[in-house]
Amino acid sequence: MLTAPKLRTPFLIVNPKAYLGGADTLRLALLTDELAGQFDIDVIFTSQDAYLVEIARRTTHLTVTAQHMDPITPGRGMGHTLPEALAEAGASAVVLNHAEHPMTLAELDATMRRADELGLMTIVCADSERQCRAVAQLEPKVMICEPTANIGTGSMDTGDYIARTTRAVKQIDPSILVIQAAGVTSGADITRVLEQGADGSGGTSGIIAAPDWRVVLEDMFTALKGFQATRGNR
Amino acid sequence: MLTAPKLRTPFLIVNPKAYLGGADTLRLALLTDELAGQFDIDVIFTSQDAYLVEIARRTTHLTVTAQHMDPITPGRGMGHTLPEALAEAGASAVVLNHAEHPMTLAELDATMRRADELGLMTIVCADSERQCRAVAQLEPKVMICEPTANIGTGSMDTGDYIARTTRAVKQIDPSILVIQAAGVTSGADITRVLEQGADGSGGTSGIIAAPDWRVVLEDMFTALKGFQATRGNR
Amino acid sequence: MLTAPKLRTPFLIVNPKAYLGGADTLRLALLTDELAGQFDIDVIFTSQDAYLVEIARRTTHLTVTAQHMDPITPGRGMGHTLPEALAEAGASAVVLNHAEHPMTLAELDATMRRADELGLMTIVCADSERQCRAVAQLEPKVMICEPTANIGTGSMDTGDYIARTTRAVKQIDPSILVIQAAGVTSGADITRVLEQGADGSGGTSGIIAAPDWRVVLEDMFTALKGFQATRGNR
Amino acid sequence: MLTAPKLRTPFLIVNPKAYLGGADTLRLALLTDELAGQFDIDVIFTSQDAYLVEIARRTTHLTVTAQHMDPITPGRGMGHTLPEALAEAGASAVVLNHAEHPMTLAELDATMRRADELGLMTIVCADSERQCRAVAQLEPKVMICEPTANIGTGSMDTGDYIARTTRAVKQIDPSILVIQAAGVTSGADITRVLEQGADGSGGTSGIIAAPDWRVVLEDMFTALKGFQATRGNR
């Protein structure tokens, strides 16, 4: 059982999903890495498996993160992602059960245990409050609580989803770090979710679709730094 | 619509599935590449996505091949494999519908069309004769006809499967190249399937589990070269 | 190997999917049965598994049809539909691979063979022309060619989809009966698809959502009868 | 939001999965119903959807239970099981997430909420202790804790699985009833799991494969009645 990396809070997640080609993903990774160093803020950066090696080699401040993996061990498993392959490529974390790649409960549990064996930090997605509580029982290191209906919309939940699901997770296990990022597009959005209890935030389309990545990322890092200064590094 | 690479027949397939870590996969790729150059025989070499970049960079005679991809276009698709990412990583072919990662007919068709757009050579698996005929209608470049029950057993079909399925595919489209590799573990096995009409052969456990990769690969390349000499390069 | 029922052409399909509760489904089945007898036209009538027994008991002119089944044999398979259970409940046909329940190629093949063993008529869906040709190779008795994008829209394909896919299927096996029903809402629509070569037509929302089921069904039966009179019973 | 039926403990589960045809299932249901009345013990009896109507009509002491359903509402969903159809057919409960039909966490949650709306009692399966705790957070009425490796083996877990998982569930919500049935084949087995904290037991192959159903069922009912007498009806 290896030890997964630790994240200092508050932290950023940059999750380009399948939006970018390899050259653009690397460009975004290098820019994020530069700002992460400058602001001294931790960052989860996800990528397609095929780009992991290059990102891991050329960045120093990012928690290089795969977007899925399968609960297989070395052997059969044609077309499935071997956890060892991700670790060897330089990934130190993996996102599981994203709404765009939902897993059965049994597969999710088995895959999380494989991640634990390899010291890959588990970042597990959940939607409703009940699902958030269920995933919290599986002992993830980090959770992404995200109302599926808001993904990719650029609009945040207007009710109590953020505070309520964060609290539900922390009541089960206060050591789980909670990301709230649905609809987040600016530093002001990030401040708002951190004030409601989240440990990290960031996003996909809110960053990728911005006219200038440096501008939006600097805005987000500034918000994280500002929150950190006010509240202290938890 | 880009153009997929062409294979000269007879050719070898080396398919380590999820058996090997990155270092071992690269070692196997380098050895295969060396022998492919020496014997002047074409080779399909598959790998986990995370190793594609390195294999593509460091080999010259291999058709670097992904083990699966999804029918997505750039955008959403967290945890799914973007075809563009494979192409950019240096893959020039992709295996689809392997028994260990079966696809729905609609997904398979859509993914093959994405491969066609990007010039990735489609290598599609099928089991029964009816399934072989069905896949042949989807216009793959290469097919792997494989009785699921024999995968990984080290024992070949003892009936007429090889001749019958190869003929069924060629009757629908003679330009489709057919791989027969289930249970193949030696050069003699390869000669036997080529004599029954196959265009290529090779395997997974028959190579990976051999005590000395160089010995088994040289045996297989020798068989391919010998068959080529007898029959002429088709 | 039992013998599947035969359909006289042209025929109607009434496919309420999951739109109706049991009482409404039975009401629709009884009405369709009455008109089927009156017009002497064959009808495929699908239903949720839970309603099959009652529909089979109380109708005489319908080919009572399940909406899916699994390739299992008696034994394990909790939560999966046993083909024997459908046959025993009175079903004599089954729809497979609908766009709302896509199957892998291997599962589809295996399930069709189970249907053949039990004498259940296979009615298999396909979308693109390539998929239609692929399914035709699996030796179904009936096919539903349906451009997924048009399902449930009430608007028919305006290009050559109907003629082209029907011809593609018949070229592979002229004995396969072809249903074209996407977007069909009236007798006039049915006449149009029959004139383009289809053997049967009908629908879901085009019937279910009509203000008066009897009116729309009489219109459709009249069209079928009229076409039959003109062309002769093939 | 309708009210799900309540079970008196200890209770029996008879789960023929896909082992039996309709006539045999009905015969088993009638026998179980007779003994359930005679012993005054509650019983969960599952069946293929196609047999539900008949079992519900002809028995009075059984909680008639479907083996799966989908999270759909009336409308599209060809080939999927509409919850309303099960309720209308006479089911009052549904098993979800069985190891032979695993569900994604999001689907499971959504399907449980549909069951709650219709007053169908949710009986949800889980494997590892972590999975048991996760499912308990989704607010099921009943859980089946079952180490997947033991299903259908006729041998029970020899460690602390039963006591440990039952306790884990009850700590989260003491009102959840827990079934432990993996490998159970006799009244003595049932007594053993009840003594370790389970509320119900029974099985599939332990009953179906017995030479005389009446003998094994009487043995099981006697054990349940004996346990009830000793401990009192909780």
Side-chain angles (χ1 to χ4, degrees), chain A residues 90-159:
Chain A
S92 54
V94 62
V95 176
L96 298 171
N97 198 44
H98 191 277
E100 293 163 14
H101 200 314
M103 300 177 79
T104 69
L105 185 59
E107 277 178 330
L108 176 57
D109 182 21
T111 309
M112 290 172 74
R113 305 299 69 90
R114 292 252 52 222
D116 290 347
E117 282 170 23
L118 297 170
L120 291 167
M121 184 169 69
T122 46
I123 304 168
V124 185
C125 302
D127 178 349
S128 70
E129 184 186 331
R130 282 188 188 90
Q131 289 171 48
C132 289
R133 286 194 265 121
V135 167
Q137 293 288 358
L138 300 176
E139 302 172 21
K141 300 286 184 267
V142 183
M143 282 183 63
I144 302 177
C145 298
E146 197 158 49
T148 303
N150 284 44
I151 294 178
T153 60
S155 66
M156 296 172 63
D157 183 81
T158 51

Side-chain angles (χ1 to χ4, degrees), chain C residues 25-196:
Chain C
T25 302
L26 186 60
R27 192 162 60 83
L28 179 60
L30 293 173
L31 172 62
T32 307
D33 190 50
E34 173 201 327
L35 296 172
Q38 185 183 314
F39 281 90
D40 192 28
I41 289 285
D42 284 353
V43 180
I44 293 169
F45 190 98
T46 84
S47 113
Q48 291 273 313
D49 291 357
Y51 313 147
L52 289 171
V53 167
E54 200 69 13
I55 295 172
R57 273 194 198 149
R58 298 186 49 187
T59 63
T60 51
H61 302 290
L62 308 180
T63 297
V64 178
T65 301
Q67 297 185 355
H68 174 71
M69 71 182 197
D70 295 293
I72 58 173
T73 48
R76 290 193 184 193
M78 181 75 180
H80 294 277
T81 301
L82 179 67
E84 278 82 353
L86 301 181
E88 206 165 341
S92 54
V94 61
V95 176
L96 297 171
N97 199 44
H98 191 278
E100 293 163 14
H101 199 315
M103 300 176 79
T104 69
L105 185 58
E107 277 179 328
L108 176 57
D109 182 22
T111 308
M112 291 173 73
R113 303 299 70 88
R114 292 251 53 222
D116 290 346
E117 283 170 23
L118 297 170
L120 292 167
M121 184 169 68
T122 46
I123 305 168
V124 185
C125 302
D127 177 348
S128 70
E129 183 186 331
R130 281 187 188 90
Q131 289 171 47
C132 289
R133 286 193 266 121
V135 167
Q137 294 287 358
L138 299 176
E139 302 172 22
K141 300 286 185 266
V142 183
M143 282 184 63
I144 302 177
C145 298
E146 196 158 50
T148 303
N150 284 43
I151 295 177
T153 60
S155 66
M156 296 172 63
D157 183 82
T158 50
D160 64 346
Y161 179 89
I162 293 171
R164 184 165 45 86
T165 55
T166 304
R167 195 168 52 234
V169 169
K170 301 280 187 183
Q171 277 172 354
I172 287 170
D173 182 352
S175 77
I176 298 172
L177 301 179
V178 176
I179 296 170
Q180 299 274 2
V184 164
T185 60
S186 67
D189 289 343
I190 285 188
T191 301
R192 199 162 348 135
V193 304
L194 296 177
E195 283 172 347
Q196 290 178 73

Side-chain angles (χ1 to χ4, degrees), chain A residues 9 27 45-46 92 110 153 173 196 210 221 225:
Chain A
T9 61
R27 192 162 60 83
F45 190 97
T46 85
S92 54
T153 60
D173 181 351
Q196 291 178 72
F221 275 112
K225 202 70 193 171

